[in-house]
Amino acid sequence: MSPPEGGGESTTTVIVAALANLGIAAAKAVAGVISGSSAMLSEAAHSVADTVTELLLLTALKRSEKPADEEHPLGYGPERYIWALLAAVATFVGGAVFSIYDGIHTLVEGEELGDPLVSYIVLALAFLLEGYSLRTGLKQARGEAARFKAPFKVYLRHTPDTAVKAVVLEDTAALAGLLLAAGGLLGGQLTGSGVWDGIASLCIGLLLLYVAWVLGRSNAELLIGRPLPKPMRERIRAELLAVEHIEAVLELTTLVQGPREALVAAKIDFRDISTAAQIEWACEQAEQRLREAFPAVTRLYLDPTPGHAQRREEGLNPWP
């Protein structure tokens, strides 16, 4: 089975972000040592965490593209969310915890401020590189949003392509962190106090904490099992009801298995006078209609269920 359409684009987006973060992390660490800035060291930790995150996301993309086999008949699509969840943990541990600790340490113990010139140069270069990486992620995300005819913010909030979502959020946080670090350096330079640098480091840590929480929650929802959006479920139901010999859709279950993979299972009430051949034909028609309307529906299971039997079961159920 070939990789899902768009998988290569996601990989490119993640690789661009990883290469940018790797170079930036080294430059920030050197600048932090020279200037004595805790905010710069926090930013170095931020970039290291982002680099680890991108490596985990690359692993997620490659592992999830493995074809289905006897041991995993539904494929490996959900595995990307396990690795992406680990990437969120890496952002939390490697970036947020270190930055918050370093900020508190600076506020309590103080720090010796060095020459901030190197740090300003590194921050400017990092801003350009992070901006380019963010541009790559936004370009893909906007293209996908346009393809699904969804507002960009809605797409980014609900997309199952958490690799692109992670790149966009982390690069946005990186740009904000660079501005915070620059503000901490400038405040320390103007006042001669390391308090501003410590505050900047704390703010960077809290920002990373928020990003880690958003990404962790998104991947956890997909691991637990998230259905297709309600408008899509309603249209799937309508497509099924439009098939001849189908009288009712008694139960509809959908499950997102990847950015372009979804499972649909339904209990169908066929006409009582339909023959076995007509029911088989109706199932084929239903599958064809759904695949044309929703290419992401890679697995469809229809269960012929008499409507009166379903209603009898519902009548025996004491719960609404």
Side-chain angles (χ1 to χ4, degrees):
M1 183 175 67
S2 60
E5 182 185 354
E9 193 175 359
S10 295
T11 301
T12 301
T13 299
V14 175
I15 289 175
V16 169
L19 292 175
N21 283 319
L22 187 60
I24 291 169
K28 286 177 179 176
V30 172
V33 171
I34 293 174
S35 65
S37 168
S38 65
M40 281 302 297
L41 292 176
S42 295
E43 272 298 296
H46 181 177
S47 293
V48 169
D50 283 354
T51 303
V52 173
T53 295
E54 312 309 340
L55 293 175
L56 289 171
L57 291 176
L58 282 174
T59 303
L61 291 172
K62 294 302 179 184
R63 295 279 301 175
S64 64
E65 289 174 358
K66 293 172 62 177
D69 53 37
E70 187 175 350
E71 296 297 324
H72 300 84
L74 297 182
Y76 290 79
E79 187 171 348
R80 74 166 52 210
Y81 302 122
I82 297 174
W83 291 96
L85 184 61
L86 292 175
V89 173
T91 298
F92 171 74
V93 175
V97 172
F98 177 85
S99 298
I100 292 173
Y101 166 79
D102 201 43
I104 294 174
H105 181 269
T106 299
L107 291 176
V108 173
E109 301 293 336
E111 67 180 10
E112 291 291 332
L113 298 177
D115 186 0
L117 178 60
V118 176
S119 294
Y120 284 130
I121 295 173
V122 169
L123 288 174
L125 292 175
F127 198 89
L128 293 175
L129 290 173
E130 294 284 9
Y132 177 76
S133 176
L134 178 60
R135 177 179 174 274
T136 303
L138 286 175
K139 182 180 179 181
Q140 181 183 350
R142 291 187 187 281
E144 290 292 303
R147 191 168 73 87
F148 287 109
K149 299 179 181 179
F152 175 71
K153 290 183 178 180
V154 173
Y155 169 80
L156 194 63
R157 186 181 304 117
H158 297 288
T159 178
D161 194 345
T162 53
V164 174
K165 183 174 184 175
V167 170
V168 171
L169 288 180
E170 288 175 355
D171 285 345
T172 301
L175 292 176
L178 292 171
L179 294 176
L180 288 169
L185 284 171
L186 182 60
Q189 192 178 7
L190 294 176
T191 63
S193 171
V195 171
W196 295 101
D197 208 41
I199 292 174
S201 186
L202 277 175
C203 290
I204 291 169
L206 293 174
L207 181 64
L208 289 175
L209 191 64
Y210 172 74
V211 171
W213 177 73
V214 171
L215 293 177
R217 184 186 61 178
S218 298
N219 287 288
E221 286 179 355
L222 288 160
L223 280 172
I224 293 169
R226 197 175 80 184
L228 290 170
K230 187 175 180 180
M232 291 183 67
R233 299 200 302 271
E234 291 176 348
R235 188 177 168 192
I236 287 172
R237 187 181 293 272
E239 290 288 344
L240 291 173
L241 290 173
V243 176
E244 188 179 359
H245 302 293
I246 291 181
E247 287 194 340
V249 178
L250 304 175
E251 185 179 319
L252 180 65
T253 301
T254 65
L255 180 66
V256 175
Q257 294 186 293
R260 292 167 184 82
E261 294 179 71
L263 178 149
V264 174
K267 287 183 178 290
I268 303 294
D269 181 19
F270 291 93
R271 293 170 54 193
D272 293 338
I273 61 173
S274 297
T275 64
Q278 288 173 328
I279 291 176
E280 289 177 353
W281 176 87
C283 290
E284 289 294 323
Q285 285 293 109
E287 182 173 2
Q288 182 178 344
R289 290 180 69 99
L290 285 185
R291 290 191 187 278
E292 289 176 355
F294 304 102
V297 176
T298 54
R299 296 175 180 85
L300 173 65
Y301 303 101
L302 300 180
D303 178 16
T305 305
H308 60 82
Q310 179 78 2
R311 286 189 289 272
R312 184 167 61 251
E313 289 179 8
E314 292 174 353
L316 294 174
N317 184 3
W319 303 103

